[in-house]
Amino acid sequence: MSGPTGENTFLYELKNVVTVALTMAELSHSQNAHDLPVTEWLLDPTDIERERVGLRGILAAITELENGSFPFRT
């Protein structure tokens, strides 16, 4: 399976990188740190949630750019 060519190649690769990062953030969140004492947390669940929200926003922006419906596209 091949990816897109031309100007969409960058967006395609960026979307893949962001998707992997989002998957990693979701996996680290699935450890249920809320069930552990704060002293045993490897990562702060609030920071993980912020990262997930940010990555979802980036994915949404990439999708808008791919669809050509982003308002600042020339």
Side-chain angles (χ1 to χ4, degrees), residues 1-13 16 66:
M1 183 165 117
S2 64
T5 58
E7 67 181 47
N8 288 334
T9 302
F10 174 76
L11 292 176
Y12 177 78
E13 291 173 5
N16 286 336
E66 288 176 332

Side-chain angles (χ1 to χ4, degrees), residues 14-34:
L14 180 61
K15 191 173 191 176
N16 286 336
V17 169
V18 173
T19 300
V20 168
L22 181 58
T23 302
M24 298 288 286
E26 288 175 347
L27 288 174
S28 65
H29 186 66
S30 67
Q31 295 174 355
N32 293 327
H34 293 290

